[in-house]
Amino acid sequence: EAQVTQNPRYLITVTGKKLTVTCSQNMNHEYMSWYRQDPGLGLRQIYYSMNVEVTDKGDVPEGYKVSRKEKRNFPLILESPSPNQTSLYFCASSLGGVNEKLFFGSGTQLSVL
Amino acid sequence: KQEVTQIPAALSVPEGENLVLNCSFTDSAIYNLQWFRQDPGKGLTSLLLIQSSQREQTSGRLNASLDKSSGRSTLYIAASQPGDSATYLCAATNAGKSTFGDGTTLTVKP
């Protein structure tokens, strides 16, 4: 089944403890991206990757890191999480180009205490 | 910087009614415009994608139009059903960067 898989689904952590949210897709998509969704602020793009080893900042990259060492994986790293990074996170992928139909993962609800 | 606005923020209609959701964007330099559906606690599901060179796309009871010159897109839902209740988001995409509207929350009453 074609899908984007995020793990974990729920995560509670404490300020400053490094964490990684994984994202994997099985559709051989070139493009992958991360978003956060907050009440009243909508869905905002954090980082995106057009291909392996190619990443770029979205609208809210501060406090986040990403890497794209393999085509199928695009982990989101929070080196020193803070409470303002408490949010619902989504990973998405697409073929890229003008036919950028986005496929989304189920989301990761992160709480930073 | 691209800005995407969706009106109305919420809409409640009786079952069977036809309805239109609106999406406007400020920068017409887009690759495509997508409409998504999001159910509570779930991820987003792509409904329709309109490439920048296209004017509209149809899927079943859904029809989406795109007018780049005016910076507007509409999603038309025919013969609405209670199962259509969800939040509908539009997103304007250009070279990897996607900007989403805040969504319209639709409630279809039986």
Side-chain angles (χ1 to χ4, degrees), chain A residues 9 31 35 37 41-43 45 48 50 57 59 90 97-98 100-102 104-105, chain B residues 31-32 34 36 38 41-44 46 49 51 93 95-98 100 102:
Chain A
R9 181 73 176 89
Y31 173 89
Y35 304 83
Q37 187 173 37
L41 295 175
L43 205 69
Q45 191 174 35
Y48 62 96
M50 303 292 272
K57 297 176 181 178
D59 292 323
F90 288 103
V98 296
E100 292 183 38
K101 180 178 178 180
L102 286 167
F104 277 80
Chain B
Y31 277 11
N32 62 56
Q34 292 188 65
F36 297 85
Q38 185 176 28
K42 305 283 187 180
L44 283 72
S46 181
L49 179 150
Q51 295 179 20
T93 298
K97 298 201 76 171
S98 294
F100 284 76
D102 290 339

PDB file of all heavy atoms in Angstrom, chain A residues 9 31 35 37 41-43 45 48 50 57 59 90 97-98 100-102 104-105, chain B residues 31-32 34 36 38 41-44 46 49 51 93 95-98 100 102:
ATOM      1  N   ARG A   9       3.447   8.353  16.780  1.00  0.00           N
ATOM      2  CA  ARG A   9       2.164   9.018  16.593  1.00  0.00           C
ATOM      3  C   ARG A   9       1.958  10.079  17.678  1.00  0.00           C
ATOM      4  O   ARG A   9       1.403  11.136  17.421  1.00  0.00           O
ATOM      5  CB  ARG A   9       1.035   7.989  16.653  1.00  0.00           C
ATOM      6  CG  ARG A   9      -0.355   8.564  16.439  1.00  0.00           C
ATOM      7  CD  ARG A   9      -0.582   8.936  14.989  1.00  0.00           C
ATOM      8  NE  ARG A   9      -1.951   9.406  14.798  1.00  0.00           N
ATOM      9  CZ  ARG A   9      -2.315  10.679  14.934  1.00  0.00           C
ATOM     10  NH1 ARG A   9      -1.433  11.601  15.276  1.00  0.00           N
ATOM     11  NH2 ARG A   9      -3.575  11.036  14.736  1.00  0.00           N
ATOM     12  N   TYR A  31      10.143  14.329  -3.757  1.00  0.00           N
ATOM     13  CA  TYR A  31       9.921  15.470  -2.884  1.00  0.00           C
ATOM     14  C   TYR A  31       9.338  15.029  -1.547  1.00  0.00           C
ATOM     15  O   TYR A  31       8.425  14.202  -1.501  1.00  0.00           O
ATOM     16  CB  TYR A  31       8.962  16.434  -3.579  1.00  0.00           C
ATOM     17  CG  TYR A  31       8.487  17.598  -2.742  1.00  0.00           C
ATOM     18  CD1 TYR A  31       9.198  18.794  -2.715  1.00  0.00           C
ATOM     19  CD2 TYR A  31       7.316  17.511  -1.998  1.00  0.00           C
ATOM     20  CE1 TYR A  31       8.753  19.867  -1.959  1.00  0.00           C
ATOM     21  CE2 TYR A  31       6.870  18.570  -1.241  1.00  0.00           C
ATOM     22  CZ  TYR A  31       7.586  19.752  -1.221  1.00  0.00           C
ATOM     23  OH  TYR A  31       7.154  20.810  -0.471  1.00  0.00           O
ATOM     24  N   TYR A  35       5.571  19.814   8.009  1.00  0.00           N
ATOM     25  CA  TYR A  35       4.691  20.905   8.373  1.00  0.00           C
ATOM     26  C   TYR A  35       4.346  20.784   9.856  1.00  0.00           C
ATOM     27  O   TYR A  35       4.369  19.698  10.426  1.00  0.00           O
ATOM     28  CB  TYR A  35       3.382  20.843   7.579  1.00  0.00           C
ATOM     29  CG  TYR A  35       3.569  20.832   6.086  1.00  0.00           C
ATOM     30  CD1 TYR A  35       3.846  19.640   5.417  1.00  0.00           C
ATOM     31  CD2 TYR A  35       3.480  21.999   5.343  1.00  0.00           C
ATOM     32  CE1 TYR A  35       4.030  19.618   4.052  1.00  0.00           C
ATOM     33  CE2 TYR A  35       3.658  21.984   3.970  1.00  0.00           C
ATOM     34  CZ  TYR A  35       3.939  20.789   3.336  1.00  0.00           C
ATOM     35  OH  TYR A  35       4.128  20.773   1.975  1.00  0.00           O
ATOM     36  N   GLN A  37       1.090  22.064  12.469  1.00  0.00           N
ATOM     37  CA  GLN A  37      -0.266  22.598  12.458  1.00  0.00           C
ATOM     38  C   GLN A  37      -0.623  23.050  13.868  1.00  0.00           C
ATOM     39  O   GLN A  37      -0.587  22.251  14.805  1.00  0.00           O
ATOM     40  CB  GLN A  37      -1.267  21.542  11.958  1.00  0.00           C
ATOM     41  CG  GLN A  37      -2.668  22.082  11.759  1.00  0.00           C
ATOM     42  CD  GLN A  37      -3.595  21.077  11.113  1.00  0.00           C
ATOM     43  OE1 GLN A  37      -3.525  19.889  11.377  1.00  0.00           O
ATOM     44  NE2 GLN A  37      -4.475  21.548  10.230  1.00  0.00           N
ATOM     45  N   LEU A  41      -3.208  29.161  13.621  1.00  0.00           N
ATOM     46  CA  LEU A  41      -2.077  29.481  12.739  1.00  0.00           C
ATOM     47  C   LEU A  41      -2.072  28.618  11.485  1.00  0.00           C
ATOM     48  O   LEU A  41      -1.289  28.858  10.563  1.00  0.00           O
ATOM     49  CB  LEU A  41      -0.758  29.319  13.488  1.00  0.00           C
ATOM     50  CG  LEU A  41      -0.535  30.279  14.655  1.00  0.00           C
ATOM     51  CD1 LEU A  41       0.745  29.934  15.385  1.00  0.00           C
ATOM     52  CD2 LEU A  41      -0.482  31.734  14.155  1.00  0.00           C
ATOM     53  N   GLY A  42      -2.880  27.598  11.475  1.00  0.00           N
ATOM     54  CA  GLY A  42      -2.973  26.757  10.290  1.00  0.00           C
ATOM     55  C   GLY A  42      -1.773  25.847  10.124  1.00  0.00           C
ATOM     56  O   GLY A  42      -1.019  25.562  11.060  1.00  0.00           O
ATOM     57  N   LEU A  43      -1.576  25.408   8.900  1.00  0.00           N
ATOM     58  CA  LEU A  43      -0.505  24.486   8.542  1.00  0.00           C
ATOM     59  C   LEU A  43       0.656  25.294   7.965  1.00  0.00           C
ATOM     60  O   LEU A  43       0.477  26.021   6.987  1.00  0.00           O
ATOM     61  CB  LEU A  43      -1.033  23.505   7.498  1.00  0.00           C
ATOM     62  CG  LEU A  43      -0.377  22.140   7.371  1.00  0.00           C
ATOM     63  CD1 LEU A  43      -0.673  21.305   8.597  1.00  0.00           C
ATOM     64  CD2 LEU A  43      -0.886  21.432   6.138  1.00  0.00           C
ATOM     65  N   GLN A  45       4.839  25.319   6.688  1.00  0.00           N
ATOM     66  CA  GLN A  45       5.921  24.468   6.206  1.00  0.00           C
ATOM     67  C   GLN A  45       7.201  24.734   6.982  1.00  0.00           C
ATOM     68  O   GLN A  45       7.617  25.886   7.156  1.00  0.00           O
ATOM     69  CB  GLN A  45       6.133  24.705   4.719  1.00  0.00           C
ATOM     70  CG  GLN A  45       7.033  23.695   4.055  1.00  0.00           C
ATOM     71  CD  GLN A  45       7.082  23.887   2.546  1.00  0.00           C
ATOM     72  OE1 GLN A  45       7.031  24.996   2.046  1.00  0.00           O
ATOM     73  NE2 GLN A  45       7.151  22.794   1.807  1.00  0.00           N
ATOM     74  N   TYR A  48      11.675  21.442   3.410  1.00  0.00           N
ATOM     75  CA  TYR A  48      11.314  20.545   2.333  1.00  0.00           C
ATOM     76  C   TYR A  48      12.577  20.060   1.639  1.00  0.00           C
ATOM     77  O   TYR A  48      13.663  20.645   1.802  1.00  0.00           O
ATOM     78  CB  TYR A  48      10.357  21.197   1.341  1.00  0.00           C
ATOM     79  CG  TYR A  48      10.884  22.405   0.610  1.00  0.00           C
ATOM     80  CD1 TYR A  48      11.448  22.291  -0.662  1.00  0.00           C
ATOM     81  CD2 TYR A  48      10.789  23.671   1.179  1.00  0.00           C
ATOM     82  CE1 TYR A  48      11.914  23.401  -1.337  1.00  0.00           C
ATOM     83  CE2 TYR A  48      11.254  24.780   0.509  1.00  0.00           C
ATOM     84  CZ  TYR A  48      11.807  24.653  -0.748  1.00  0.00           C
ATOM     85  OH  TYR A  48      12.266  25.764  -1.412  1.00  0.00           O
ATOM     86  N   MET A  50      13.842  18.503  -2.204  1.00  0.00           N
ATOM     87  CA  MET A  50      13.509  18.212  -3.594  1.00  0.00           C
ATOM     88  C   MET A  50      14.125  16.887  -4.056  1.00  0.00           C
ATOM     89  O   MET A  50      13.677  16.309  -5.048  1.00  0.00           O
ATOM     90  CB  MET A  50      13.985  19.340  -4.503  1.00  0.00           C
ATOM     91  CG  MET A  50      13.426  20.705  -4.123  1.00  0.00           C
ATOM     92  SD  MET A  50      11.645  20.828  -4.420  1.00  0.00           S
ATOM     93  CE  MET A  50      11.654  21.375  -6.113  1.00  0.00           C
ATOM     94  N   LYS A  57      14.705  25.611   3.461  1.00  0.00           N
ATOM     95  CA  LYS A  57      13.845  26.078   4.535  1.00  0.00           C
ATOM     96  C   LYS A  57      12.448  26.430   4.029  1.00  0.00           C
ATOM     97  O   LYS A  57      12.292  26.971   2.936  1.00  0.00           O
ATOM     98  CB  LYS A  57      14.465  27.321   5.193  1.00  0.00           C
ATOM     99  CG  LYS A  57      15.803  27.064   5.856  1.00  0.00           C
ATOM    100  CD  LYS A  57      16.377  28.363   6.401  1.00  0.00           C
ATOM    101  CE  LYS A  57      17.734  28.120   7.049  1.00  0.00           C
ATOM    102  NZ  LYS A  57      18.336  29.375   7.552  1.00  0.00           N
ATOM    103  N   ASP A  59       8.725  28.080   5.893  1.00  0.00           N
ATOM    104  CA  ASP A  59       8.381  29.343   6.538  1.00  0.00           C
ATOM    105  C   ASP A  59       8.780  29.422   8.013  1.00  0.00           C
ATOM    106  O   ASP A  59       8.978  30.504   8.542  1.00  0.00           O
ATOM    107  CB  ASP A  59       6.866  29.582   6.428  1.00  0.00           C
ATOM    108  CG  ASP A  59       6.439  29.835   4.999  1.00  0.00           C
ATOM    109  OD1 ASP A  59       7.209  30.491   4.265  1.00  0.00           O
ATOM    110  OD2 ASP A  59       5.358  29.371   4.604  1.00  0.00           O
ATOM    111  N   PHE A  90       3.207  17.086  10.531  1.00  0.00           N
ATOM    112  CA  PHE A  90       2.888  16.237   9.389  1.00  0.00           C
ATOM    113  C   PHE A  90       4.057  16.174   8.421  1.00  0.00           C
ATOM    114  O   PHE A  90       4.694  17.189   8.135  1.00  0.00           O
ATOM    115  CB  PHE A  90       1.672  16.771   8.630  1.00  0.00           C
ATOM    116  CG  PHE A  90       0.374  16.600   9.350  1.00  0.00           C
ATOM    117  CD1 PHE A  90      -0.224  17.672   9.975  1.00  0.00           C
ATOM    118  CD2 PHE A  90      -0.253  15.362   9.383  1.00  0.00           C
ATOM    119  CE1 PHE A  90      -1.431  17.523  10.638  1.00  0.00           C
ATOM    120  CE2 PHE A  90      -1.456  15.196  10.046  1.00  0.00           C
ATOM    121  CZ  PHE A  90      -2.041  16.284  10.679  1.00  0.00           C
ATOM    122  N   GLY A  97       7.653  18.493  -9.166  1.00  0.00           N
ATOM    123  CA  GLY A  97       7.280  19.178 -10.394  1.00  0.00           C
ATOM    124  C   GLY A  97       5.870  19.721 -10.318  1.00  0.00           C
ATOM    125  O   GLY A  97       5.317  19.899  -9.236  1.00  0.00           O
ATOM    126  N   VAL A  98       5.242  19.958 -11.467  1.00  0.00           N
ATOM    127  CA  VAL A  98       3.916  20.554 -11.470  1.00  0.00           C
ATOM    128  C   VAL A  98       2.862  19.592 -10.950  1.00  0.00           C
ATOM    129  O   VAL A  98       1.789  19.999 -10.508  1.00  0.00           O
ATOM    130  CB  VAL A  98       3.524  21.048 -12.883  1.00  0.00           C
ATOM    131  CG1 VAL A  98       4.446  22.164 -13.335  1.00  0.00           C
ATOM    132  CG2 VAL A  98       3.549  19.911 -13.885  1.00  0.00           C
ATOM    133  N   GLU A 100       2.558  18.025  -8.251  1.00  0.00           N
ATOM    134  CA  GLU A 100       2.991  17.828  -6.873  1.00  0.00           C
ATOM    135  C   GLU A 100       1.836  17.459  -5.971  1.00  0.00           C
ATOM    136  O   GLU A 100       1.610  18.090  -4.943  1.00  0.00           O
ATOM    137  CB  GLU A 100       3.675  19.094  -6.367  1.00  0.00           C
ATOM    138  CG  GLU A 100       4.990  19.376  -7.029  1.00  0.00           C
ATOM    139  CD  GLU A 100       5.660  20.607  -6.449  1.00  0.00           C
ATOM    140  OE1 GLU A 100       5.584  20.817  -5.233  1.00  0.00           O
ATOM    141  OE2 GLU A 100       6.229  21.375  -7.221  1.00  0.00           O
ATOM    142  N   LYS A 101       1.059  16.438  -6.334  1.00  0.00           N
ATOM    143  CA  LYS A 101      -0.004  15.977  -5.464  1.00  0.00           C
ATOM    144  C   LYS A 101       0.636  15.464  -4.186  1.00  0.00           C
ATOM    145  O   LYS A 101       1.454  14.545  -4.207  1.00  0.00           O
ATOM    146  CB  LYS A 101      -0.817  14.879  -6.126  1.00  0.00           C
ATOM    147  CG  LYS A 101      -1.955  14.356  -5.259  1.00  0.00           C
ATOM    148  CD  LYS A 101      -2.755  13.312  -5.993  1.00  0.00           C
ATOM    149  CE  LYS A 101      -3.857  12.772  -5.098  1.00  0.00           C
ATOM    150  NZ  LYS A 101      -4.666  11.732  -5.776  1.00  0.00           N
ATOM    151  N   LEU A 102       0.280  16.072  -3.074  1.00  0.00           N
ATOM    152  CA  LEU A 102       0.904  15.760  -1.805  1.00  0.00           C
ATOM    153  C   LEU A 102       0.190  14.618  -1.098  1.00  0.00           C
ATOM    154  O   LEU A 102      -1.033  14.599  -0.992  1.00  0.00           O
ATOM    155  CB  LEU A 102       0.892  16.991  -0.899  1.00  0.00           C
ATOM    156  CG  LEU A 102       1.886  18.099  -1.247  1.00  0.00           C
ATOM    157  CD1 LEU A 102       1.551  19.357  -0.478  1.00  0.00           C
ATOM    158  CD2 LEU A 102       3.306  17.652  -0.946  1.00  0.00           C
ATOM    159  N   PHE A 104       0.064  12.806   2.584  1.00  0.00           N
ATOM    160  CA  PHE A 104       0.415  13.126   3.962  1.00  0.00           C
ATOM    161  C   PHE A 104       0.454  11.896   4.849  1.00  0.00           C
ATOM    162  O   PHE A 104      -0.304  10.935   4.658  1.00  0.00           O
ATOM    163  CB  PHE A 104      -0.606  14.104   4.547  1.00  0.00           C
ATOM    164  CG  PHE A 104      -0.337  15.530   4.191  1.00  0.00           C
ATOM    165  CD1 PHE A 104      -0.712  16.029   2.955  1.00  0.00           C
ATOM    166  CD2 PHE A 104       0.291  16.379   5.094  1.00  0.00           C
ATOM    167  CE1 PHE A 104      -0.448  17.347   2.616  1.00  0.00           C
ATOM    168  CE2 PHE A 104       0.546  17.694   4.769  1.00  0.00           C
ATOM    169  CZ  PHE A 104       0.172  18.187   3.529  1.00  0.00           C
ATOM    170  N   GLY A 105       1.343  11.956   5.842  1.00  0.00           N
ATOM    171  CA  GLY A 105       1.325  10.974   6.908  1.00  0.00           C
ATOM    172  C   GLY A 105       0.191  11.272   7.878  1.00  0.00           C
ATOM    173  O   GLY A 105      -0.523  12.263   7.738  1.00  0.00           O
TER     174      GLY A 105
ATOM    175  N   TYR B  31       2.841  26.663  -9.117  1.00  0.00           N
ATOM    176  CA  TYR B  31       2.869  25.464  -9.942  1.00  0.00           C
ATOM    177  C   TYR B  31       1.489  24.837 -10.011  1.00  0.00           C
ATOM    178  O   TYR B  31       1.062  24.318 -11.021  1.00  0.00           O
ATOM    179  CB  TYR B  31       3.837  24.439  -9.355  1.00  0.00           C
ATOM    180  CG  TYR B  31       5.276  24.645  -9.708  1.00  0.00           C
ATOM    181  CD1 TYR B  31       5.722  25.802 -10.324  1.00  0.00           C
ATOM    182  CD2 TYR B  31       6.222  23.666  -9.416  1.00  0.00           C
ATOM    183  CE1 TYR B  31       7.052  25.993 -10.637  1.00  0.00           C
ATOM    184  CE2 TYR B  31       7.555  23.836  -9.728  1.00  0.00           C
ATOM    185  CZ  TYR B  31       7.964  25.003 -10.343  1.00  0.00           C
ATOM    186  OH  TYR B  31       9.286  25.169 -10.636  1.00  0.00           O
ATOM    187  N   ASN B  32       0.828  24.846  -8.839  1.00  0.00           N
ATOM    188  CA  ASN B  32      -0.494  24.250  -8.765  1.00  0.00           C
ATOM    189  C   ASN B  32      -1.230  24.717  -7.525  1.00  0.00           C
ATOM    190  O   ASN B  32      -0.642  25.352  -6.639  1.00  0.00           O
ATOM    191  CB  ASN B  32      -0.410  22.711  -8.787  1.00  0.00           C
ATOM    192  CG  ASN B  32       0.347  22.146  -7.607  1.00  0.00           C
ATOM    193  OD1 ASN B  32       0.011  22.411  -6.457  1.00  0.00           O
ATOM    194  ND2 ASN B  32       1.350  21.332  -7.874  1.00  0.00           N
ATOM    195  N   GLN B  34      -3.948  23.015  -4.723  1.00  0.00           N
ATOM    196  CA  GLN B  34      -4.557  21.751  -4.299  1.00  0.00           C
ATOM    197  C   GLN B  34      -5.625  22.006  -3.251  1.00  0.00           C
ATOM    198  O   GLN B  34      -5.483  22.903  -2.413  1.00  0.00           O
ATOM    199  CB  GLN B  34      -3.497  20.810  -3.690  1.00  0.00           C
ATOM    200  CG  GLN B  34      -2.488  20.296  -4.681  1.00  0.00           C
ATOM    201  CD  GLN B  34      -1.593  19.239  -4.073  1.00  0.00           C
ATOM    202  OE1 GLN B  34      -2.043  18.160  -3.697  1.00  0.00           O
ATOM    203  NE2 GLN B  34      -0.308  19.566  -3.988  1.00  0.00           N
ATOM    204  N   PHE B  36      -7.582  19.957  -0.134  1.00  0.00           N
ATOM    205  CA  PHE B  36      -7.441  18.812   0.754  1.00  0.00           C
ATOM    206  C   PHE B  36      -8.639  18.726   1.685  1.00  0.00           C
ATOM    207  O   PHE B  36      -9.313  19.731   1.961  1.00  0.00           O
ATOM    208  CB  PHE B  36      -6.191  18.944   1.644  1.00  0.00           C
ATOM    209  CG  PHE B  36      -4.892  18.979   0.896  1.00  0.00           C
ATOM    210  CD1 PHE B  36      -4.399  20.165   0.390  1.00  0.00           C
ATOM    211  CD2 PHE B  36      -4.166  17.812   0.711  1.00  0.00           C
ATOM    212  CE1 PHE B  36      -3.193  20.199  -0.286  1.00  0.00           C
ATOM    213  CE2 PHE B  36      -2.957  17.834   0.038  1.00  0.00           C
ATOM    214  CZ  PHE B  36      -2.470  19.035  -0.457  1.00  0.00           C
ATOM    215  N   GLN B  38      -9.469  17.326   5.644  1.00  0.00           N
ATOM    216  CA  GLN B  38      -8.895  16.855   6.896  1.00  0.00           C
ATOM    217  C   GLN B  38     -10.021  16.524   7.870  1.00  0.00           C
ATOM    218  O   GLN B  38     -10.831  17.389   8.200  1.00  0.00           O
ATOM    219  CB  GLN B  38      -7.953  17.890   7.516  1.00  0.00           C
ATOM    220  CG  GLN B  38      -7.245  17.376   8.760  1.00  0.00           C
ATOM    221  CD  GLN B  38      -6.233  18.356   9.319  1.00  0.00           C
ATOM    222  OE1 GLN B  38      -6.353  19.567   9.153  1.00  0.00           O
ATOM    223  NE2 GLN B  38      -5.207  17.839   9.991  1.00  0.00           N
ATOM    224  N   GLY B  41      -8.352  14.874  13.928  1.00  0.00           N
ATOM    225  CA  GLY B  41      -7.317  13.954  14.392  1.00  0.00           C
ATOM    226  C   GLY B  41      -6.639  13.159  13.291  1.00  0.00           C
ATOM    227  O   GLY B  41      -5.886  12.217  13.578  1.00  0.00           O
ATOM    228  N   LYS B  42      -6.888  13.530  12.056  1.00  0.00           N
ATOM    229  CA  LYS B  42      -6.320  12.775  10.931  1.00  0.00           C
ATOM    230  C   LYS B  42      -5.401  13.639  10.087  1.00  0.00           C
ATOM    231  O   LYS B  42      -5.341  14.864  10.241  1.00  0.00           O
ATOM    232  CB  LYS B  42      -7.452  12.247  10.033  1.00  0.00           C
ATOM    233  CG  LYS B  42      -8.497  11.425  10.752  1.00  0.00           C
ATOM    234  CD  LYS B  42      -8.002  10.029  11.047  1.00  0.00           C
ATOM    235  CE  LYS B  42      -9.138   9.179  11.601  1.00  0.00           C
ATOM    236  NZ  LYS B  42      -8.700   7.795  11.901  1.00  0.00           N
ATOM    237  N   GLY B  43      -4.706  12.980   9.172  1.00  0.00           N
ATOM    238  CA  GLY B  43      -3.883  13.703   8.219  1.00  0.00           C
ATOM    239  C   GLY B  43      -4.730  14.281   7.099  1.00  0.00           C
ATOM    240  O   GLY B  43      -5.951  14.155   7.087  1.00  0.00           O
ATOM    241  N   LEU B  44      -4.062  14.917   6.155  1.00  0.00           N
ATOM    242  CA  LEU B  44      -4.747  15.538   5.025  1.00  0.00           C
ATOM    243  C   LEU B  44      -4.826  14.566   3.855  1.00  0.00           C
ATOM    244  O   LEU B  44      -3.868  13.828   3.589  1.00  0.00           O
ATOM    245  CB  LEU B  44      -4.009  16.796   4.570  1.00  0.00           C
ATOM    246  CG  LEU B  44      -4.179  18.056   5.409  1.00  0.00           C
ATOM    247  CD1 LEU B  44      -3.453  17.957   6.736  1.00  0.00           C
ATOM    248  CD2 LEU B  44      -3.705  19.274   4.631  1.00  0.00           C
ATOM    249  N   SER B  46      -5.535  14.532  -0.242  1.00  0.00           N
ATOM    250  CA  SER B  46      -5.657  15.369  -1.431  1.00  0.00           C
ATOM    251  C   SER B  46      -6.946  15.033  -2.180  1.00  0.00           C
ATOM    252  O   SER B  46      -7.231  13.873  -2.455  1.00  0.00           O
ATOM    253  CB  SER B  46      -4.454  15.165  -2.350  1.00  0.00           C
ATOM    254  OG  SER B  46      -4.554  15.977  -3.491  1.00  0.00           O
ATOM    255  N   LEU B  49      -6.103  18.451  -7.589  1.00  0.00           N
ATOM    256  CA  LEU B  49      -4.941  19.274  -7.891  1.00  0.00           C
ATOM    257  C   LEU B  49      -5.164  19.935  -9.233  1.00  0.00           C
ATOM    258  O   LEU B  49      -5.484  19.242 -10.219  1.00  0.00           O
ATOM    259  CB  LEU B  49      -3.666  18.422  -7.920  1.00  0.00           C
ATOM    260  CG  LEU B  49      -2.343  19.140  -8.242  1.00  0.00           C
ATOM    261  CD1 LEU B  49      -1.193  18.439  -7.542  1.00  0.00           C
ATOM    262  CD2 LEU B  49      -2.085  19.196  -9.746  1.00  0.00           C
ATOM    263  N   GLN B  51      -3.203  22.123 -11.978  1.00  0.00           N
ATOM    264  CA  GLN B  51      -1.929  22.674 -12.406  1.00  0.00           C
ATOM    265  C   GLN B  51      -2.132  24.121 -12.875  1.00  0.00           C
ATOM    266  O   GLN B  51      -3.234  24.516 -13.263  1.00  0.00           O
ATOM    267  CB  GLN B  51      -1.335  21.821 -13.532  1.00  0.00           C
ATOM    268  CG  GLN B  51      -0.971  20.430 -13.078  1.00  0.00           C
ATOM    269  CD  GLN B  51      -0.415  19.575 -14.199  1.00  0.00           C
ATOM    270  OE1 GLN B  51       0.039  20.089 -15.220  1.00  0.00           O
ATOM    271  NE2 GLN B  51      -0.441  18.273 -14.018  1.00  0.00           N
ATOM    272  N   THR B  93       1.232  25.984  -4.299  1.00  0.00           N
ATOM    273  CA  THR B  93       2.591  25.416  -4.312  1.00  0.00           C
ATOM    274  C   THR B  93       3.410  26.011  -5.445  1.00  0.00           C
ATOM    275  O   THR B  93       2.938  26.154  -6.570  1.00  0.00           O
ATOM    276  CB  THR B  93       2.517  23.893  -4.476  1.00  0.00           C
ATOM    277  OG1 THR B  93       1.831  23.337  -3.361  1.00  0.00           O
ATOM    278  CG2 THR B  93       3.922  23.289  -4.526  1.00  0.00           C
ATOM    279  N   ALA B  95       7.569  25.432  -6.647  1.00  0.00           N
ATOM    280  CA  ALA B  95       8.939  24.940  -6.492  1.00  0.00           C
ATOM    281  C   ALA B  95       9.218  24.421  -5.091  1.00  0.00           C
ATOM    282  O   ALA B  95      10.225  24.766  -4.478  1.00  0.00           O
ATOM    283  CB  ALA B  95       9.931  26.042  -6.847  1.00  0.00           C
ATOM    284  N   GLY B  96       8.324  23.588  -4.592  1.00  0.00           N
ATOM    285  CA  GLY B  96       8.574  22.956  -3.315  1.00  0.00           C
ATOM    286  C   GLY B  96       7.976  23.655  -2.127  1.00  0.00           C
ATOM    287  O   GLY B  96       7.752  23.038  -1.082  1.00  0.00           O
ATOM    288  N   LYS B  97       7.714  24.932  -2.234  1.00  0.00           N
ATOM    289  CA  LYS B  97       7.136  25.667  -1.119  1.00  0.00           C
ATOM    290  C   LYS B  97       5.612  25.648  -1.234  1.00  0.00           C
ATOM    291  O   LYS B  97       5.060  26.030  -2.250  1.00  0.00           O
ATOM    292  CB  LYS B  97       7.630  27.105  -1.090  1.00  0.00           C
ATOM    293  CG  LYS B  97       9.131  27.227  -0.902  1.00  0.00           C
ATOM    294  CD  LYS B  97       9.532  28.591  -0.364  1.00  0.00           C
ATOM    295  CE  LYS B  97       9.223  28.722   1.098  1.00  0.00           C
ATOM    296  NZ  LYS B  97       9.798  29.947   1.707  1.00  0.00           N
ATOM    297  N   SER B  98       4.971  25.200  -0.164  1.00  0.00           N
ATOM    298  CA  SER B  98       3.518  25.134  -0.129  1.00  0.00           C
ATOM    299  C   SER B  98       2.989  26.041   0.964  1.00  0.00           C
ATOM    300  O   SER B  98       3.473  25.996   2.102  1.00  0.00           O
ATOM    301  CB  SER B  98       3.051  23.701   0.139  1.00  0.00           C
ATOM    302  OG  SER B  98       3.377  22.851  -0.927  1.00  0.00           O
ATOM    303  N   PHE B 100      -0.543  27.054   2.895  1.00  0.00           N
ATOM    304  CA  PHE B 100      -1.896  26.587   3.138  1.00  0.00           C
ATOM    305  C   PHE B 100      -2.792  27.707   3.674  1.00  0.00           C
ATOM    306  O   PHE B 100      -2.334  28.595   4.408  1.00  0.00           O
ATOM    307  CB  PHE B 100      -1.901  25.448   4.163  1.00  0.00           C
ATOM    308  CG  PHE B 100      -1.439  24.137   3.624  1.00  0.00           C
ATOM    309  CD1 PHE B 100      -0.088  23.897   3.400  1.00  0.00           C
ATOM    310  CD2 PHE B 100      -2.348  23.141   3.319  1.00  0.00           C
ATOM    311  CE1 PHE B 100       0.345  22.681   2.890  1.00  0.00           C
ATOM    312  CE2 PHE B 100      -1.926  21.927   2.813  1.00  0.00           C
ATOM    313  CZ  PHE B 100      -0.582  21.693   2.598  1.00  0.00           C
ATOM    314  N   ASP B 102      -6.188  28.592   6.105  1.00  0.00           N
ATOM    315  CA  ASP B 102      -6.579  28.115   7.429  1.00  0.00           C
ATOM    316  C   ASP B 102      -7.729  27.111   7.385  1.00  0.00           C
ATOM    317  O   ASP B 102      -8.044  26.493   8.407  1.00  0.00           O
ATOM    318  CB  ASP B 102      -6.977  29.291   8.325  1.00  0.00           C
ATOM    319  CG  ASP B 102      -5.787  30.136   8.711  1.00  0.00           C
ATOM    320  OD1 ASP B 102      -4.652  29.619   8.635  1.00  0.00           O
ATOM    321  OD2 ASP B 102      -5.982  31.317   9.064  1.00  0.00           O
TER     322      ASP B 102
END
